Amino acid sequence: MTATTTTPAPTTPTPTPSGRRRRAYRALEPGPAGRVVRYALLAVASVVTLFPFYAMVVLSLKPAAAIEFPASLLPWPVDVGAYQEVLASRSILRWLLNTTIYSVVSVVAVLLLAAMAGYAFAKKRFPGRETMFWSFLAMVMVPYHVTLIPTFILIAKAGGVDTYWGLILPTLANAQAVFLMRQFIGGLPDELFEAAKIDGASEWRTFVRIVLPLCKPILATLGVFVFLWHWNDLLWPLIIGQSGDMRTLTVGIASLQQEQVPLNVMLAGSVVAFVPIFAAYLVGQRYFTEGVTMSGIKG
């Protein structure tokens, strides 16, 4: 009697999640015609997005009496008289200084406070932690204009009108920044903090030597956004800075419309206000891209 052996049927390997994801991406890839349409739409969107910046720069380089549409949108002739007038103006230089102080100090303070709060909410255990965090995060759902009048009354009674601290202090409690820092720090390995505790590192040393270096990408990303928010802020500086010497660039340029200032001078001031924002993005571009990429992977 001979024994019969059965050959097992070949089994198809179960695809891994990453393999399924790659196949799904390949299935969504458009064909040649689809790629042409996509690139054409992206080119149109780029032109529409960049055209206001182009018009702002070109019109700021025209003589005030020579601005006519659409002929003035050509990049020639060039006249830098508007920039000379802007840079020679004491008021605009003062507004630039105010805006720089407001933005830079706010960025440093917001990032430091958000990182400390995010570290506490992510890695520390204390009674009422979740309740405190979600109560603080609920500030995001409260419209900014609702708290504007009570905030102004408190700052005015404390003597903060027409002062730098009155301009900066109410903007430091940034719930969105705390939330992002808490989510990022929560993804850091607990073993790092346990090892630091075993080595006898204090909380401040752990925060400075471990948390801050590992949070460089998200700090740079938040820094660019916070700098942009403060540099372009109009409503709060308009209310709290009631004298001409405490105006920011956005408030000052908006006030030029009431003084019948030539269009090319106003646009030259707008270009001067735009340059620091663009420079800040160029400086933090690498960390900004890395932070967005890492946030996408974590999600």
Side-chain angles (χ1 to χ4, degrees), residues 2 36 42-44 48 52 69 79 91 104 117 120 141 157-158 177 180 196 201 206 218 228 234 244 246 275-276 293:
T2 59
V36 171
L42 290 174
V44 172
V48 172
F69 295 97
D79 183 4
S91 297
V104 173
M141 295 181 288
K157 288 186 176 181
L180 291 175
T206 301
I218 191 64
L228 179 64
L234 174 66
M246 283 302 299
V275 168
T293 303

Side-chain angles (χ1 to χ4, degrees), residues 36-48:
V36 171
V37 173
R38 180 174 63 182
Y39 293 146
L41 292 176
L42 290 174
V44 172
S46 301
V47 171
V48 172

Side-chain angles (χ1 to χ4, degrees), residues 79-107:
D79 183 4
V80 296
Y83 288 92
Q84 293 174 349
E85 184 174 348
V86 166
L87 297 178
S89 172
R90 177 187 172 277
S91 297
I92 292 184
L93 294 179
R94 175 70 184 188
W95 300 341
L96 181 61
L97 175 64
N98 294 339
T99 309
T100 302
I101 295 174
Y102 176 46
S103 302
V104 173
V105 175
S106 297
V107 167

Side-chain angles (χ1 to χ4, degrees), residues 138-163:
M139 293 171 54
V140 178
M141 295 181 288
V142 179
Y144 171 67
H145 304 83
V146 173
T147 62
L148 194 61
I149 295 177
T151 302
F152 175 77
I153 293 175
L154 291 174
I155 296 297
K157 288 186 176 181
V161 177
D162 275 341
T163 62

Side-chain angles (χ1 to χ4, degrees), residues 13-288:
T14 303
T16 61
S18 59
R20 289 196 297 267
R21 199 178 298 117
R22 283 195 296 269
R23 286 204 297 271
Y25 289 156
R26 284 197 296 267
L28 293 175
E29 279 292 324
R35 282 195 291 268
V36 171
V37 173
R38 180 174 63 182
Y39 293 146
L41 292 176
L42 290 174
V44 172
S46 301
V47 171
V48 172
T49 303
L50 294 175
F51 181 76
F53 297 97
Y54 169 80
M56 178 178 67
V57 174
V58 170
L59 293 178
S60 67
L61 294 171
K62 302 291 183 180
I67 295 181
E68 296 179 359
F69 295 97
S72 295
L73 294 177
L74 297 176
W76 56 82
V78 174
D79 183 4
V80 296
Y83 288 92
Q84 293 174 349
E85 184 174 348
V86 166
L87 297 178
S89 172
R90 177 187 172 277
S91 297
I92 292 184
L93 294 179
R94 175 70 184 188
W95 300 341
L96 181 61
L97 175 64
N98 294 339
T99 309
T100 302
I101 295 174
Y102 176 46
S103 302
V104 173
V105 175
S106 297
V107 167
V108 174
V110 167
L111 293 185
L112 179 61
L113 294 176
M116 295 172 66
Y119 172 54
F121 283 128
K123 296 300 181 182
K124 297 301 170 184
R125 302 291 182 266
F126 53 89
R129 183 187 67 165
E130 294 298 322
T131 302
M132 187 182 302
F133 173 72
W134 291 109
S135 298
F136 182 69
L137 193 62
M139 293 171 54
V140 178
M141 295 181 288
V142 179
Y144 171 67
H145 304 83
V146 173
T147 62
L148 194 61
I149 295 177
T151 302
F152 175 77
I153 293 175
L154 291 174
I155 296 297
K157 288 186 176 181
V161 177
D162 275 341
T163 62
Y164 286 118
W165 72 264
L167 181 66
I168 295 171
L169 185 63
T171 66
L172 301 185
N174 194 315
Q176 295 175 339
V178 172
F179 174 75
L180 291 175
M181 291 303 304
R182 187 245 193 184
Q183 296 301 104
F184 189 90
I185 296 174
L188 300 179
D190 293 334
E191 291 78 6
L192 292 174
F193 304 96
E194 293 173 0
K197 187 176 181 180
I198 293 173
D199 290 340
S202 63
E203 291 293 345
W204 178 252
R205 187 175 181 183
T206 301
F207 176 74
V208 173
R209 295 294 183 88
I210 296 178
V211 176
L212 290 183
L214 293 177
C215 291
K216 283 183 180 179
I218 191 64
L219 286 174
T221 304
L222 273 176
V224 172
F225 283 124
V226 174
F227 184 83
L228 179 64
W229 294 336
H230 286 81
W231 191 271
N232 290 331
D233 193 10
L234 174 66
L235 189 55
W236 178 247
L238 175 64
I239 294 174
I240 203 68
Q242 298 183 356
S243 66
D245 287 339
M246 283 302 299
R247 289 176 179 175
T248 58
L249 269 175
T250 51
V251 176
I253 292 175
S255 67
L256 293 179
Q257 297 179 355
Q258 303 175 357
E259 300 176 8
Q260 297 182 352
V261 174
L263 178 61
N264 61 336
V265 176
M266 290 183 56
L267 293 178
S270 300
V271 173
V272 171
F274 169 75
V275 168
I277 300 175
F278 187 64
Y281 175 76
L282 291 180
V283 171
Q285 181 181 12
R286 181 170 66 90
Y287 291 113
F288 178 83

